[in-house]
């Protein structure tokens, strides 16, 4: 068995070829797709976070709305850029969204990816300081956030408060008792995967990874998962960790599928530089008849190693088409791979 979710970037553009013309369209359609996915038996609805872009940005209103409209499906992010986050305010927002959903949040966080503007986090009021990098700042925000959602009591109470306080120092409210076990770190390297394991976070690995040894993407990603699980065991955590990988996968079952994805040529890994220091490897996409997909996916070592698969969806094609694409994977591919 494997958990299967979708991951939407929430793109919108005022183009006549897009069914998602505005930010409102992207948000409402994201909610509607989560509802449709739950009805189909999909396990998770995940949303990407990008700032200064025509995509999803502030995730918690969307997560709360999805939580209020659904009852079973996991609701997550992939990922929130911690360079931009106030850990205390985020603790309030994430706990509220988690409680609204009945504790179904699966919150993916990370250092973030290359962005639309230069040092966008500075516009949000954050500065890593002279002796730290932006990655250091993201990890510091993360460690503070984790302590807060563990229920740390640190704030000195007012001796004459407006409302009566419980005894002792105060914590951030609202508080979700189980949220801490449902935080995921989006990792692109062996080192950050091990770091996430040490802090007891689940692991998200996307379709992009630092090219650390020249091997095919799915093998490097499988090695990353193995390094993460080894570090988890060494840290002595009591619960079993979860691991997700993301893929673009489309079953070609009708003419519309073939028109959109039948000529997809991203069937090989790609190499590129995401910044001046980092050489990255981008994983291939999959688009084929269901029987061919079954054979190809069975050879993807990272998918086999993960317990959760996130299917990236072309949200600008609309809710109905994306629901169809998800249903095709669930009914015509997943059973033959033993995922259902």
């Amino acid at each position: 068995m494997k958990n299967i979710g979708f991951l939407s970037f929430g793109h919108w553009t005022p183009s006549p070829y897009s069914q998602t013309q505005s930010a409102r369209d992207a948000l409402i359609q994201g909610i509607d797709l989560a509802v449709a996915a739950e009805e189909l038996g999909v396990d998770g609805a995940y949303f990407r976070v990008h700032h200064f872009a025509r995509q999803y940005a502030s995730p918690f209103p969307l997560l709360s709305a999805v939580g209020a409209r659904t009852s079973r499906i996991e609701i997550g992010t992939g990922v929130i850029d911690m360079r931009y986050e106030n850990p205390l305010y985020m603790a309030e927002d994430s706990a509220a969204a988690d409680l609204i959903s009945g504790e179904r949040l699966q919150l993916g966080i990370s250092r973030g990816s290359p962005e639309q503007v230069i040092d966008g986090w500075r516009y949000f009021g954050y500065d890593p300081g002279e002796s730290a990098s932006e990655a250091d700042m993201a990890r510091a925000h993360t460690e503070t956030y984790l302590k807060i959602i563990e229920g740390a009591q640190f704030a000195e109470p007012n001796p004459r408060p407006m409302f009566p306080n419980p005894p002792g120092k105060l914590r951030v409210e609202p508080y979700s008792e189980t949220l801490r076990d449902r935080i995921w770190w989006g990792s692109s390297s062996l080192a950050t995967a091990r770091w996430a394991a040490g802090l007891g976070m689940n692991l998200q690995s996307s379709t992009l990874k630092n090219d650390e040894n020249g091997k095919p993407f799915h093998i490097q990603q499988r090695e990353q998962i193995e390094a993460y699980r080894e570090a988890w065991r060494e840290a002595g955590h009591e619960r079993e960790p979860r691991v997700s990988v993301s893929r673009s996968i489309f079953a070609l079952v009708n003419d519309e599928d073939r028109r959109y994805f039948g000529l997809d040529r991203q069937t090989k890994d790609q190499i590129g530089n995401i910044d001046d220091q980092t050489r990255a490897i981008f994983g291939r996409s999959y688009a084929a008849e269901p029987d061919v997909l079954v054979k190809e996916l069975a050879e993807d070592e990272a998918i086999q190693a993960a317990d959760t698969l996130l299917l990236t969806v072309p949200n600008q094609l609309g809710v109905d088409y994306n629901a169809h694409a998800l249903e095709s994977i669930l009914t015509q591919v997943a059973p033959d791979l033993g995922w259902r």
Side-chain angles (χ1 to χ4, degrees), residues 215-255:
K215 296 178 183 178
F217 172 80
H218 72 107
I219 294 177
Q220 290 198 48
Q221 195 172 50
R222 187 259 299 161
E223 292 173 344
Q224 180 192 34
I225 293 170
E226 291 173 347
Y228 166 80
R229 288 183 170 142
E230 180 181 5
W232 184 278
R233 290 189 295 270
E234 291 173 353
H237 302 303
E238 294 182 1
R239 68 177 179 87
E240 285 296 313
R242 290 184 62 182
V243 174
S244 73
V245 296
S246 304
R247 292 289 187 275
S248 294
I249 304 172
F250 298 97
L252 307 182
V253 300
N254 61 30
D255 290 341

Side-chain angles (χ1 to χ4, degrees), residues 17-332:
Y17 304 104
S18 173
Q19 294 195 39
T20 312
Q21 299 273 318
S22 67
R24 184 181 189 278
D25 288 344
L27 291 163
I28 297 301
Q29 290 176 21
I31 298 166
D32 290 344
L33 182 57
V35 171
E38 180 173 80
E39 293 173 353
L40 291 171
V42 174
D43 300 299
Y46 287 74
F47 304 93
R48 190 67 169 89
V49 179
H50 278 118
H51 299 287
F52 299 103
R54 290 180 175 180
Q55 300 173 38
Y56 296 135
S58 54
F60 295 108
L62 176 59
L63 298 176
S64 297
V66 172
R69 287 279 307 278
T70 59
S71 60
R72 178 196 58 80
I73 198 168
E74 294 182 339
I75 307 162
T77 50
V79 290
I80 296 173
D81 189 333
M82 293 302 289
R83 295 174 295 182
Y84 286 79
E85 294 298 324
N86 177 315
L88 277 73
Y89 198 21
M90 181 176 167
E92 292 180 344
D93 278 351
S94 57
D98 193 40
L99 295 172
I100 288 170
S101 72
E103 300 180 68
R104 288 182 282 134
L105 220 59
Q106 301 287 342
L107 207 62
I109 63 178
S110 189
R111 185 205 71 93
S113 60
E115 48 187 344
Q116 301 298 108
V117 299
I118 297 171
D119 296 345
W121 31 271
R122 294 190 186 277
Y123 297 103
F124 279 56
Y126 300 113
D127 188 337
E130 293 183 3
S131 61
S133 68
E134 58 187 274
D136 294 331
M137 178 175 66
R139 286 190 285 269
H141 285 180
T142 297
E143 291 179 7
T144 299
Y145 171 70
L146 294 177
K147 291 177 182 177
I148 297 302
I149 64 171
E150 285 170 358
Q153 296 173 270
F154 60 92
E156 292 289 344
N158 188 333
R160 291 184 291 277
M162 182 177 295
F163 307 104
N165 283 323
K169 294 183 178 181
L170 303 182
R171 69 186 181 195
V172 166
E173 300 287 357
Y175 172 66
S176 171
E177 293 184 0
T178 63
L179 178 59
R180 177 63 176 83
D181 288 342
R182 290 177 279 112
I183 306 300
W184 305 59
W185 183 258
S187 170
S188 62
S189 68
L190 293 173
T192 55
R194 294 188 182 106
W195 176 79
L199 287 176
M201 290 186 283
N202 299 314
L203 179 68
Q204 286 186 341
S205 192
S206 71
T207 54
L208 179 154
K209 184 188 173 298
N210 294 2
D211 185 10
E212 297 182 274
N213 58 27
K215 296 178 183 178
F217 172 80
H218 72 107
I219 294 177
Q220 290 198 48
Q221 195 172 50
R222 187 259 299 161
E223 292 173 344
Q224 180 192 34
I225 293 170
E226 291 173 347
Y228 166 80
R229 288 183 170 142
E230 180 181 5
W232 184 278
R233 290 189 295 270
E234 291 173 353
H237 302 303
E238 294 182 1
R239 68 177 179 87
E240 285 296 313
R242 290 184 62 182
V243 174
S244 73
V245 296
S246 304
R247 292 289 187 275
S248 294
I249 304 172
F250 298 97
L252 307 182
V253 300
N254 61 30
D255 290 341
E256 187 176 32
D257 299 328
R258 297 182 187 95
R259 185 166 64 250
Y260 284 138
F261 301 106
L263 297 178
D264 192 326
R265 291 181 171 83
Q266 292 182 314
T267 57
K268 295 182 179 180
D269 298 340
Q270 304 293 320
I271 300 293
N273 288 80
I274 59 175
D275 56 40
D276 293 339
Q277 293 81 36
T278 309
R279 171 185 165 97
I281 183 167
F282 302 80
R284 59 162 295 185
S285 59
Y286 295 89
E289 305 294 327
D291 59 331
V292 175
L293 274 185
V294 169
K295 294 176 182 177
E296 292 179 338
L297 294 172
E299 296 176 353
D300 190 311
E301 295 181 12
I303 292 180
Q304 303 310 316
D307 60 77
T308 299
L309 172 63
L310 301 183
L311 303 170
T312 60
V313 295
N315 73 282
Q316 288 182 306
L317 295 182
V319 173
D320 290 344
Y321 181 77
N322 281 292
H324 154 75
L326 292 171
E327 184 176 25
S328 296
I329 298 298
L330 289 181
T331 60
Q332 301 194 48

